[in-house]
Amino acid sequence: MDSLAPVLDGFAVVAEPQNLLYCLVGVVVGMLIGVLPGLGPAATIAVLLPLTIGLEPVTAIIMLAGIFYGAQYGGTITSVLLRLPGEASSVVTVFDGYAMARQGRAGTALGIAAVGSFVGGTISIVALSFLAPVVASVALDFGPPEYTALAMLGILLVATVSGGGKVKALVAACVGLLLATVGRDGFTGAERFTFDSLSLADGLDFVPIAMGLFGLGEILHTLEQRHRGVQAPPKLKKVWPGREDLRASRGAIGRGSVVGFVLGLLPGGGAVLASMAAYALEKRRSKTPERFGKGAVEGVAGPETANNAAATSSFIPLLTLGIPANATMAVIFGALLIQGVTPGPRLVAEDPELFWGVVNSMYLGNVLLLVMSIPMVGIFVRVLRVRGTLLAPITVMVTLIGVYTVRNSVFDIGLVVAFGVLGYLMKKAGFEPGPLVLAFVLGSLLESNLRRSLLLFDGDPTGFFTRPISGVLLVAFLVVVLLPVLTAARRRLRPSDDRSGRPDVKEHV
């Protein structure tokens, strides 16, 4: 019973009025943001970071978590009704969701998405509740070599799995690592890349970078993209799935929960990869794959379940290891640091109220998502009619005022503008800002632990392989690096194989 006490205390934390209110606010804001194409959860959380400073840490993180998983469902609404994915994780929902809407089954598609999101999110929370303390207890044995290897693998996976191309993602990650070196050396005190500026002596602050790249940069890019008018959504004839649809979807929902939970744990995984993997799995398993893209209900159930499950499970590496798995988790990582909370293996034991308060709030958030999903569809669709030219100046003003209030620094406003322009240009050139922000967050962790490890090993880098966990992680790092090289070499050798008389080998997907 003693082991259950922190969990029950977490429910008491959630039941406090301000936490209930901010959980509701987070879910509603997340759904609204999911409806608006372009401005995703990472950008919204980045813009709202200054507003969370006055809140209790657990209240702030409950609201930000609500925005994250609320946005996963919000993106579904426009994907189904308007063929306009509000969130990247809802792109595959367009294929069958919009086809169902054209067949007069929009309500069924939205209902299945709501049920799948609820089931996937709930299963993922239960698994998180059991698995996170175990991971945290194992991670207590981590030392500098293990954290060095984990940070290297995390940055590499995020860079290689995220969109925009691997080379561009690696370039963005390298820029993030370079930015993390700005300021005084933590070991020698020497100034690096400060250009004799006192404002840079303490290094670049995370808030203006995140708000510039995700907030201002996304606004500029969205304004450029959003000149198209919004078509009228079809009427919802039936707002809840029937027994036949639920029976046809139950397998997809079960598999989507597992796929989403597992991929959410991996650095670089997250909701986007989970939804695509779940869609591919359902299509491959189906006896009638030709139905997909023409209104197959499994094509909505699987991805929508998976993206919510992944959004929840991605909190495990953040809260237990201190390693954000994706760009949105990197921004929430920054929010925790602003609140004076260092995520990692000691968080579960040293701050159980925050840990279990955030985890248990997700149960409530999922119920709110299910309850509000269908009745509020009309309101969310009307939001799309708000002109971008009206919304953008307000958001920019909130961003600039917000960043100034953090440290009362005009220099930070200049940084937001500079990184906003950089974020816009990155989007234009096909670079994703996520790897840059994640590498910046993990840069100081990587550098400090790498240098401590080398001191521990007397400068011998092979020492990393003498410890089991760091050795396994570095072998995984080398596999991720070498696998594309070996695959490319194999493809180049394939024509010579053909000339040798061997039969063609076709790849079956």
Side-chain angles (χ1 to χ4, degrees):
M1 288 299 291
D2 290 343
S3 60
L4 287 177
V7 183
L8 298 176
D9 290 342
F11 282 112
V13 171
V14 178
E16 293 175 11
Q18 74 272 18
N19 292 335
L20 290 173
L21 175 63
Y22 279 97
C23 184
L24 176 64
V25 169
V27 170
V28 173
V29 171
M31 293 176 80
L32 282 170
I33 293 306
V35 166
L36 292 171
L39 199 62
T44 307
I45 292 171
V47 170
L48 293 178
L49 278 179
L51 302 180
T52 64
I53 291 176
L55 300 176
E56 290 292 323
V58 64
T59 307
I61 305 304
I62 283 174
M63 183 183 73
L64 298 182
I67 292 173
F68 185 36
Y69 54 75
Q72 308 307 319
Y73 180 76
T76 310
I77 297 171
T78 47
S79 293
V80 171
L81 298 180
L82 302 172
R83 203 180 183 182
L84 195 67
E87 256 294 290
S89 60
S90 301
V91 168
V92 291
T93 307
V94 168
F95 304 150
D96 289 282
Y98 186 67
M100 290 178 70
R102 295 193 65 178
Q103 296 164 9
R105 303 176 65 210
T108 301
L110 291 173
I112 282 293
V115 171
S117 297
F118 174 76
V119 174
T122 303
I123 290 175
S124 196
I125 298 165
V126 172
L128 188 158
S129 301
F130 284 100
L131 189 59
V134 176
V135 175
S137 64
V138 172
L140 282 173
D141 295 330
F142 278 28
E146 286 74 23
Y147 274 110
T148 302
L150 192 62
M152 288 174 61
L153 182 62
I155 293 171
L156 181 67
L157 283 175
V158 169
T160 52
V161 175
S162 63
K166 292 178 182 177
V167 175
K168 290 181 177 178
L170 285 171
V171 170
C174 290
V175 173
L177 288 174
L178 184 64
L179 291 174
T181 63
V182 174
R184 288 193 186 90
D185 187 313
F187 286 74
T188 66
E191 293 189 353
R192 303 181 301 192
F193 308 115
T194 60
F195 306 104
D196 296 327
S197 168
L198 288 177
S199 300
L200 289 175
D202 292 330
L204 291 168
D205 190 52
F206 172 78
V207 174
I209 292 178
M211 293 179 75
L213 287 174
F214 287 122
L216 199 56
E218 288 286 351
I219 292 165
L220 293 174
H221 189 256
T222 303
L223 273 178
E224 188 182 69
Q225 299 290 319
R226 207 181 175 195
H227 289 303
R228 293 173 296 176
V230 178
Q231 65 194 70
K235 291 184 178 179
L236 299 180
K237 296 179 181 177
K238 185 181 177 184
V239 293
W240 203 250
R243 286 186 179 179
E244 193 61 36
D245 292 314
L246 288 171
R247 191 178 297 114
S249 304
R250 61 189 180 188
I253 290 174
R255 289 183 289 273
S257 300
V258 176
V259 169
F261 179 79
V262 173
L263 292 182
L265 294 174
L266 302 177
V272 179
L273 186 62
S275 61
M276 291 181 177
Y279 187 83
L281 176 64
E282 292 309 314
K283 188 174 180 179
R284 188 170 295 183
R285 286 192 83 261
S286 175
K287 295 177 181 175
T288 54
E290 65 276 6
R291 292 188 301 112
F292 282 75
K294 299 175 183 175
V297 71
E298 305 97 304
V300 175
E304 285 303 314
T305 304
N307 64 24
N308 247 48
T312 302
S313 65
S314 59
F315 277 88
I316 292 181
L318 174 68
L319 295 177
T320 60
L321 299 175
I323 302 292
N326 51 55
T328 308
M329 286 295 109
V331 182
I332 294 180
F333 180 93
L336 283 163
L337 295 181
I338 290 172
Q339 294 285 348
V341 177
T342 304
R346 298 188 184 282
L347 182 66
V348 181
E350 295 179 356
D351 202 346
E353 288 193 355
L354 185 141
F355 179 82
W356 288 111
V358 171
V359 171
N360 293 345
S361 73
M362 297 179 191
Y363 290 106
L364 174 65
N366 263 284
V367 174
L368 291 173
L369 272 180
L370 184 65
V371 172
M372 295 193 305
S373 54
I374 297 301
M376 296 185 69
V377 165
I379 298 172
F380 291 136
V381 171
R382 287 192 191 96
V383 173
L384 280 167
R385 297 195 174 96
V386 178
R387 287 183 301 172
T389 50
L390 178 65
L391 198 62
I394 296 172
T395 312
V396 170
M397 192 180 301
V398 170
T399 302
L400 296 180
I401 293 174
V403 76
Y404 180 77
T405 58
V406 175
R407 298 196 301 180
N408 295 331
S409 168
V410 177
F411 181 77
D412 284 353
I413 294 180
L415 279 181
V416 168
V417 174
F419 279 102
V421 173
L422 176 63
Y424 167 73
L425 293 175
M426 287 178 72
K427 280 278 187 182
K428 289 275 289 182
F431 287 83
E432 286 295 325
L436 189 156
V437 172
L438 200 84
F440 176 77
V441 168
L442 293 179
S444 57
L445 178 78
L446 174 62
E447 182 189 3
S448 59
N449 284 290
L450 176 62
R451 292 171 74 172
R452 287 195 187 100
S453 301
L454 290 175
L455 288 173
L456 190 68
F457 299 136
D458 292 327
D460 181 8
T462 60
F464 287 99
F465 294 95
T466 62
R467 296 167 66 114
I469 297 176
S470 62
V472 169
L473 290 171
L474 284 179
V475 168
F477 179 90
L478 292 174
V479 168
V480 175
V481 170
L482 294 176
L483 197 59
V485 178
L486 295 175
T487 305
R490 186 183 170 192
R491 284 176 183 163
R492 279 197 294 272
L493 290 173
R494 196 168 286 174
S496 61
D497 293 342
D498 297 340
R499 285 192 297 273
S500 67
R502 291 184 183 179
D504 291 339
V505 179
K506 294 181 179 179
E507 186 179 356
H508 295 275
V509 178

